[in-house]
Amino acid sequence: MSNQNQVTTKKNTVVEQVTAKVQQFQQNGEIHFPPAYSPENALKSAYLMLQNIKTSKNDGNRPVLEVCTKESIANSLLDMVVQGLNPAKKQGYFIAYGNQLTFQRSYMGTMAVTKRVAGVKEINAMPIYEGDEVNYEIQNGKIINLSHKQKFGSINKENIIGAYCTIITKENEIYTELMTIEELRKAWSKAQFWGKDQASEKKGSTHDEFKQEMAKKTVINRACKKFLNSSDDSSLVMQHINRSDEAAEEARVHEEIQQNANSEIIDVEYEVDPEEPKQIEDNTSQQMDVLQSQQEQMEYATTGPNGPGF
């Protein structure tokens, strides 16, 4: 059987399997989708996208539908649908770790799920620039009465000193999450795709070019995560939110272990060439540049040509 026929067969089997499972959830009253959400259309859009997604260079740049297991493809599609998300709206993206396909929410997807699950009606975020006047009080460990006065001339990505997100519930309660630039940079330094710590604000990188949006994205994710974590874990949606996040982390860690297992450290004595430290430093820098470029290409490829998933 040709690769194309194998992909087509897998598509028919997987899509039918996920559709049947979703219909079962609906019949049992376990899930209720937003009025404008069509599970069937979301599945079709997702599968069309999967046909164009390939594995990393380390895994041979092969189509994920040929490499990934049928079970992981089905689970990733089911996680997407149960959360009521659609990758065509940049609410999430599919990433393969080895032969495991995972679905990971974008920050827009996290906002959509938070509004649906946690009774939230409004989510807003704003970067804070040097020279802005920000005042707030802390009561019972919570930030209250935040006020932010901004000068137009201060708006410059190089002047960002922090960011905040406010979440307004349907009961008009206000929750505020505040992050300093140091906290933002620490979050950015943890690469999500390759499990490596690396500088994320390098000239021309995603975090450098779109620093304002990345600051908003990071603080929104942190604020929404706290709301989701306080929701009822017994709901079907929350079960798949947790399963999706855990599956992505487990697959990432497993792939990193597999890659490291192929490396062997041999302890030998040798005479050091005076020029060798500089060569090692140059080679390491080049490798980091390649790794950074691969990560940004993956993020760009999974979110489309209109920006990195904003």
Side-chain angles (χ1 to χ4, degrees):
M1 184 182 293
S2 67
N3 289 341
Q4 183 60 41
N5 289 336
Q6 289 178 348
V7 170
T8 302
T9 301
K10 184 180 286 188
K11 171 187 175 182
N12 293 337
T13 304
V14 170
V15 171
E16 289 172 2
Q17 179 182 354
V18 175
T19 301
K21 192 68 174 178
V22 170
Q23 290 174 348
Q24 181 182 342
F25 287 149
Q26 289 179 294
Q27 291 171 2
N28 295 339
E30 298 178 76
I31 188 170
H32 302 281
F33 293 112
Y37 185 77
S38 169
E40 293 79 11
N41 289 342
L43 279 171
K44 291 177 183 177
S45 296
Y47 214 91
L48 285 173
M49 294 181 68
L50 284 176
Q51 293 178 30
N52 297 316
I53 298 176
K54 295 184 178 181
T55 61
S56 67
K57 288 184 178 180
N58 290 336
D59 289 318
N61 269 341
R62 299 166 60 196
V64 296
L65 291 180
E66 294 180 13
V67 176
C68 295
T69 65
K70 186 176 73 172
E71 181 182 13
S72 70
I73 295 172
N75 281 332
S76 63
L77 288 170
L78 187 61
D79 289 337
M80 175 203 74
V81 173
V82 171
Q83 292 179 68
L85 300 177
N86 191 333
K89 296 181 179 180
K90 298 185 179 180
Q91 293 178 333
Y93 36 83
F94 295 94
I95 299 178
Y97 296 102
N99 67 348
Q100 296 297 303
L101 186 68
T102 66
F103 176 76
Q104 300 182 31
R105 293 183 309 278
S106 68
Y107 88 99
M108 289 185 291
T110 297
M111 290 172 64
V113 171
T114 304
K115 289 180 178 179
R116 179 183 171 199
V117 172
V120 169
K121 69 176 183 179
E122 194 171 337
I123 302 174
N124 298 304
M126 184 67 63
I128 301 172
Y129 300 92
E130 187 175 353
D132 289 1
E133 183 179 335
V134 178
N135 296 296
Y136 58 87
E137 303 173 42
I138 296 180
Q139 187 177 83
N140 297 326
K142 295 182 179 180
I143 296 174
I144 62 171
N145 300 328
L146 184 143
S147 66
H148 180 193
K149 294 183 180 180
Q150 188 177 88
K151 297 179 181 178
F152 183 76
S154 300
I155 301 177
N156 186 311
K157 68 176 184 177
E158 305 304 329
N159 296 336
I160 293 177
I161 60 173
Y164 64 90
C165 173
T166 57
I167 295 180
I168 303 176
T169 69
K170 293 179 180 178
E171 292 76 26
N172 290 321
E173 295 179 359
I174 300 177
Y175 170 78
T176 301
E177 183 73 32
L178 181 68
M179 296 180 71
T180 65
I181 187 63
E182 289 78 15
E183 291 176 307
L184 291 169
R185 283 173 174 156
K186 185 175 181 180
W188 296 342
S189 70
K190 300 188 181 300
Q192 297 178 12
F193 296 107
W194 303 100
K196 304 288 184 183
D197 291 342
Q198 53 186 290
S200 298
E201 290 184 84
K202 185 176 179 180
K203 186 75 173 176
S205 69
T206 302
H207 289 83
D208 173 64
E209 293 292 327
F210 304 96
K211 192 175 291 185
Q212 294 100 321
E213 293 299 324
M214 296 306 292
K216 290 163 62 176
K217 170 183 177 179
T218 302
V219 75
I220 285 173
N221 277 333
R222 177 179 285 192
C224 289
K225 184 176 181 180
K226 290 185 177 179
F227 258 76
L228 290 175
N229 287 346
S230 64
S231 299
D232 183 5
D233 286 342
S234 65
S235 71
L236 181 66
V237 176
M238 280 306 304
Q239 288 176 22
H240 279 267
I241 288 174
N242 294 332
R243 201 215 73 82
S244 178
D245 294 344
E246 291 169 3
E249 179 63 16
E250 288 176 4
R252 183 189 66 77
V253 171
H254 179 73
E255 183 188 36
E256 186 173 2
I257 292 174
Q258 290 294 106
Q259 291 177 358
N260 291 339
N262 295 328
S263 302
E264 183 179 358
I265 299 175
I266 302 176
D267 189 6
V268 297
E269 294 183 2
Y270 63 98
E271 186 175 348
V272 178
D273 187 326
E275 291 297 318
E276 187 171 6
K278 182 177 184 303
Q279 293 173 358
I280 293 174
E281 182 178 352
D282 291 342
N283 290 338
T284 301
S285 177
Q286 292 174 4
Q287 291 171 1
M288 292 300 291
D289 288 344
V290 171
L291 188 60
Q292 177 73 14
S293 175
Q294 289 175 344
Q295 176 181 337
E296 290 167 8
Q297 288 174 9
M298 172 70 78
E299 184 167 339
Y300 181 85
T302 55
T303 53
N306 298 321
F310 304 152

